[in-house]
Amino acid sequence: MAKALDQLLDLLDLEQIEVNIFRGRSPDDRRQRVFGGQVAGQALVAAGRTVPADRPVHSLQAYFIRPGDPAVPIVYLVDRVRDGGSFTTRRVSAVQHGETIFTLSASFHRPEPGPEHADPMPESPPPELVERMWEDSPIDLRSVGPMSAEAARDPSLRTTRNLIWLRVDGDLPDDPLLHVCLMTYASDMTLLDSLLTGHGLSWADGRTSGASLDHAMWFHRPFRADRWLLYAQESPVAYGARGLAHGQVFTAEGELVVSVMQEGLIRIRTQISGN
């Protein structure tokens, strides 16, 4: 998987074309639209490159406004909203064809001491005992189960909860911004499945379609994306063709390091049979 990982790292290595202006591209994999995790990860790279290294990102809020065109570059415009004593705020707009397709606001915080507590990690078999999902992906994903396609076939598996082990398939340099950007990329890969599994729906069933509407992340502690992380996902509510998905990311040692929230659009095409 060294080649696949190199390609992903290359996607996140944006070209700086002017102060506060960066350019990214999409992989040549014939997707109809840009993968949401890609544009979120690239936007966070753009924001992070305008912030001192001693201020790690602690949160981001993003909106997917228009489908991205994978055939043309994406221009990222960074607005340096605030540089305070403890916090730094950046706003990023992703632009294609003269229109904004995505916006992200990110906050960076100088580390300081404070009270500590966290939810415990859910029980799960170790990743070594779970089958890998996709062999050709730079992100090693292992579903404890179920995934949407499995629940669509077997009603007994239907649930709005899922556990995923994940890690980047290779060793990464000691760059904290790179690790959080890769987790941002990976966080969008399976989260909306939690909206489908309780209803017997699947992205591959020929009638279900959807898209990410917004995405929020909070980074609580340092972590490495090239070490095993448990991504606990659930959907507390779905209504009116929209559903909310929630994720918590734990290290293999049980530390809660990232929280994720996303609202997704889920549409089901009904088939009308004639007489």
Side-chain angles (χ1 to χ4, degrees):
M1 287 298 102
K3 181 179 179 181
L5 178 57
D6 287 344
Q7 291 173 341
L8 175 55
L9 296 180
D10 187 51
L11 287 179
L12 294 177
D13 188 17
L14 303 183
E15 175 190 4
Q16 184 166 2
I17 58 178
E18 184 49 272
V19 176
N20 303 328
I21 304 176
F22 300 82
R23 180 164 53 201
R25 61 178 185 83
S26 300
D28 184 19
D29 58 7
R30 298 185 180 180
R31 296 190 184 199
Q32 292 183 337
R33 61 189 181 194
V34 176
F35 169 55
Q38 173 200 317
V39 68
Q42 288 179 330
L44 186 56
V45 169
R49 288 189 178 175
T50 69
V51 177
D54 63 350
R55 295 195 177 194
V57 60
H58 76 88
S59 70
L60 65 85
Q61 312 279 331
Y63 286 92
F64 299 92
I65 300 171
R66 295 180 177 89
D69 181 354
V72 300
I74 306 172
V75 175
Y76 294 93
L77 309 176
V78 181
D79 179 9
R80 302 188 185 220
V81 177
R82 181 175 184 265
D83 291 288
S86 299
F87 289 88
T88 296
T89 306
R90 295 291 184 262
R91 184 181 298 115
V92 183
S93 298
V95 178
Q96 283 186 319
H97 303 295
E99 296 183 319
T100 301
I101 65 168
F102 173 88
T103 62
L104 175 143
S105 293
S107 181
F108 301 76
H109 179 214
R110 177 176 53 81
E112 54 187 293
E116 298 183 9
H117 72 271
D119 287 347
M121 182 173 73
E123 292 186 6
S124 171
E128 294 78 15
L129 299 182
V130 182
E131 184 178 355
R132 182 168 181 163
M133 294 167 58
W134 303 310
E135 291 295 335
D136 59 347
S137 172
I139 309 295
D140 187 342
L141 294 168
R142 305 190 181 197
S143 175
V144 177
M147 291 301 291
S148 59
E150 298 171 324
R153 294 190 298 267
D154 185 349
S156 69
L157 297 177
R158 293 177 186 176
T159 175
T160 56
R161 297 175 182 268
N162 188 25
L163 297 175
I164 299 278
W165 283 105
L166 65 85
R167 68 174 176 183
V168 171
D169 195 7
D171 293 328
L172 298 173
D174 296 329
D175 179 357
L177 178 62
L178 178 62
H179 289 262
V180 297
C181 290
L182 284 163
M183 185 63 235
T184 301
Y185 176 94
S187 67
D188 191 39
M189 298 180 76
T190 58
L191 188 56
L192 289 187
D193 270 44
S194 61
L195 303 180
L196 306 182
T197 50
H199 301 275
L201 301 172
S202 168
W203 302 121
D205 62 14
R207 64 192 183 103
T208 303
S209 63
S212 303
L213 296 175
D214 56 31
H215 196 79
M217 300 182 72
W218 295 264
F219 303 96
H220 311 302
R221 295 171 179 265
F223 63 91
R224 293 191 64 91
D226 55 0
R227 302 294 182 265
W228 283 116
L229 299 165
L230 183 66
Y231 195 7
Q233 304 164 83
E234 65 174 331
S235 175
V237 64
Y239 181 79
R242 301 189 318 275
L244 189 67
H246 172 235
Q248 291 182 305
V249 182
F250 299 84
T251 65
E253 294 74 32
E255 286 190 329
L256 176 57
V257 292
V258 183
S259 296
V260 188
M261 294 290 288
Q262 183 178 97
E263 188 176 41
L265 176 70
I266 305 294
R267 287 180 173 151
I268 304 169
R269 178 168 53 85
T270 59
Q271 295 180 347
I272 302 175
S273 58
N275 293 330

